[in-house]
Amino acid sequence: MNIKKTSGPEDAPGAVDAPAPAADAVTAIDPRLLVREQGFGGYLSEFKRKMRAGDLGSIPVVVGLIIICAIFQGLNSNFLTAQNINNISVTMVATGMMAVGVIFVLLLGEIDLSVGAVSGVSGAIVAVLSVTNGVNEWLALLAAIAGGALIGAIHGFFFAKIGAPAFAVTLAGLLFWQGFMLQILGENGTINLDGDGLIGQLTTYYFTDVAAGYGLALLAVAAFFFSSYTDSRRRNAAGIPSRPLSEIVLRTVLLGIVAFAAAIMFNQYKGTPLAVVLFLVVLVLTDFVLRRTTYGRKVFALGGSVEASRRAGINVEMVRISVFAIAGMFAAIGGLFWASKIAAANQGAGAGDLLMNVIAAAVIGGTSLFGGRGRTWNALLGVMVITSIQYGLALEGIATPVQYMITGGVLLATVVIDSITRKTQKTAGRA
């Protein structure tokens, strides 16, 4: 190895050149980066490797959802009717929206127990402003969402700046904001909303034109193909592994089957719900933020190691505050959908099993309680499981206490699977 001293004016005295690599040196490449170059055979090998390492992904959830649908359809032929599926789809949006925000918090390895109470506050704010004080509904809606984000930021401040445990902070927030909601609703405790107004139409408006459902499905499929194809070309230009065109086409076809099947089903009863369209748009946007932006990578980094993130120059405090603000914002959005569902804001908003269902939806969908693993699409899978169970049991006339026990059992099973998966990955040297 030759080391040559340099004496240029731009170099410090005694500076040396970096050692030249050996002629036969081979650059180490993560074998997972070669999967896409190996085609479908590579993906099959990667799938087997993940199964051995315990990286199950969303497979248990999808299989579980199929089993749930098969069981309830066998018990009651009305379960998979267009009307029931449509009702399930609209009902799940409120909980799903809240679960999206909770996923951001869970990615840090933390918890937010206040989302139920914050959802109740948002419904109360929009009702008091628009109905009691005659404020424009759009302004009332924006004020409610901004209020939720502010509440979340306050929780994040005490957690990130003061150092109080997130569990304690949000538990205190649950009690405080529940009382705040009761205070602003007044003695009557209930304010009815206009079912034909902006808030009311969040869950009652349907795209009744058949072409609208098919058009939205076609738009989603086309956007997916364009995005995947563009990303593949960009990766090819950069000289890094990318998906082959055959795989992109296959993924697009599979998405098209799901999208058009949903459009056909929706068109058999009322049409495509606005609530479902808004939920899917939120999932796409938040997934982009987490997976394609610097901010999203910072969130995942904090979930992996706070100290390593701090040494890497990440502003840990600001990311934490922003994550809780996002959770509060989506809790408020979910509260607006709940208010729309019952066309009122009342004292019972945000109470009962709502908090449990929100957290369960995020965890059942595949988000790890230990932080660092999850996607916002997990909210969709998780809330579909929970809502399907609730509707299926309701069709069978099962009492509410039994519904609680079954949902709790499903959540426990999911947590156990998550814990076992984490241990398996550690054994395999992947966590």
Side-chain angles (χ1 to χ4, degrees):
M1 181 183 301
N2 296 323
I3 299 178
K4 180 178 64 175
K5 290 186 179 181
T6 60
S7 57
E10 71 279 7
D11 297 321
V16 297
D17 290 337
D24 58 347
V26 178
T27 304
I29 299 178
D30 188 337
R32 288 174 292 181
L33 295 178
L34 300 177
V35 170
R36 292 175 177 174
E37 290 185 341
Q38 296 171 357
F40 292 108
Y43 276 96
L44 179 60
S45 299
E46 175 71 357
F47 176 78
K48 292 179 180 179
R49 184 188 63 79
K50 286 185 176 181
M51 292 300 100
R52 288 194 297 269
D55 189 1
L56 303 178
S58 300
I59 293 177
V61 189
V62 175
V63 173
L65 184 59
I66 293 174
I67 294 174
I68 289 170
C69 292
I71 291 175
F72 284 125
Q73 178 65 15
L75 295 174
N76 192 317
S77 59
N78 291 323
F79 182 77
L80 291 180
T81 59
Q83 179 178 352
N84 194 56
I85 295 298
N86 203 303
N87 291 336
I88 290 175
S89 300
V90 174
T91 300
M92 74 180 188
V93 170
T95 303
M97 287 287 192
M98 298 171 66
V100 169
V102 167
I103 286 173
F104 276 80
V105 177
L106 291 177
L107 287 175
L108 297 184
E110 302 296 339
I111 194 71
D112 189 343
L113 302 178
S114 68
V115 290
V118 174
S119 71
V121 169
S122 73
I125 289 175
V126 78
V128 169
L129 289 178
S130 63
V131 177
T132 305
N133 295 297
V135 176
N136 179 273
E137 274 198 285
W138 276 105
L139 293 178
L141 181 146
L142 294 176
I145 295 176
L150 177 60
I151 291 172
I154 293 173
H155 296 162
F157 172 82
F158 283 103
F159 168 58
K161 292 286 188 179
I162 307 301
F167 178 91
V169 171
T170 56
L171 179 60
L174 182 155
L175 298 173
F176 181 87
W177 300 115
Q178 190 75 26
F180 181 77
M181 178 193 69
L182 299 178
Q183 180 68 30
I184 63 176
L185 284 176
E187 296 181 357
N188 292 332
T190 300
I191 300 176
N192 294 324
L193 297 171
D194 181 7
D196 296 325
L198 174 64
I199 304 301
Q201 290 191 359
L202 286 176
T203 56
T204 60
Y205 184 84
Y206 291 80
F207 296 97
T208 55
D209 191 337
V210 173
Y214 295 135
L216 290 171
L218 180 61
L219 178 63
V221 173
F224 175 81
F225 177 81
F226 177 78
S227 175
S228 300
Y229 183 69
T230 302
D231 180 66
S232 178
R233 293 193 62 180
R234 179 177 58 83
R235 295 176 69 89
N236 278 329
I240 55 179
S242 61
R243 289 194 177 100
L245 181 61
S246 57
E247 184 196 343
I248 295 175
V249 172
L250 177 60
R251 287 171 174 260
T252 304
V253 170
L254 292 176
L255 175 62
I257 292 174
V258 174
F260 280 96
I264 292 172
M265 183 273 298
F266 285 139
N267 284 332
Q268 292 179 4
Y269 178 78
K270 289 188 177 181
T272 304
L274 172 64
V276 174
V277 174
L278 293 176
F279 185 35
L280 293 177
V281 170
V282 164
L283 290 175
V284 171
L285 293 177
T286 52
D287 182 69
F288 177 84
V289 169
L290 282 178
R291 297 198 305 119
R292 301 289 185 177
T293 66
T294 302
Y295 174 79
R297 288 190 286 271
K298 290 179 180 178
V299 173
F300 279 106
L302 259 66
S305 173
V306 175
E307 184 59 30
S309 300
R310 183 176 285 110
R311 292 183 179 183
I314 295 176
N315 190 332
V316 173
E317 293 179 349
M318 289 307 300
V319 173
R320 283 175 163 175
I321 292 174
S322 66
V323 162
F324 277 89
I326 289 172
M329 179 183 71
F330 279 108
I333 293 174
L336 296 177
F337 277 91
W338 278 121
S340 173
K341 185 69 177 175
I342 63 175
N346 59 37
Q347 295 178 342
D353 62 343
L354 178 58
L355 174 61
M356 179 195 72
N357 286 340
V358 170
I359 297 176
V363 176
I364 290 173
T367 303
S368 175
L369 284 170
F370 301 99
R373 192 179 80 241
R375 295 180 60 181
T376 52
W377 286 99
N378 296 148
L380 174 62
L381 292 173
V383 77
M384 286 175 66
V385 169
I386 291 177
T387 311
S388 296
I389 291 175
Q390 292 174 340
Y391 267 74
L393 294 175
L395 285 175
E396 293 302 306
I398 304 298
T400 301
V402 179
Q403 295 184 30
Y404 284 176
M405 289 188 285
I406 292 176
T407 305
V410 172
L411 176 58
L412 176 61
T414 305
V415 174
V416 170
I417 292 174
D418 183 34
S419 299
I420 294 175
T421 298
R422 187 176 176 84
K423 290 181 180 179
T424 304
Q425 290 178 337
K426 284 184 177 180
T427 303
R430 296 194 61 207

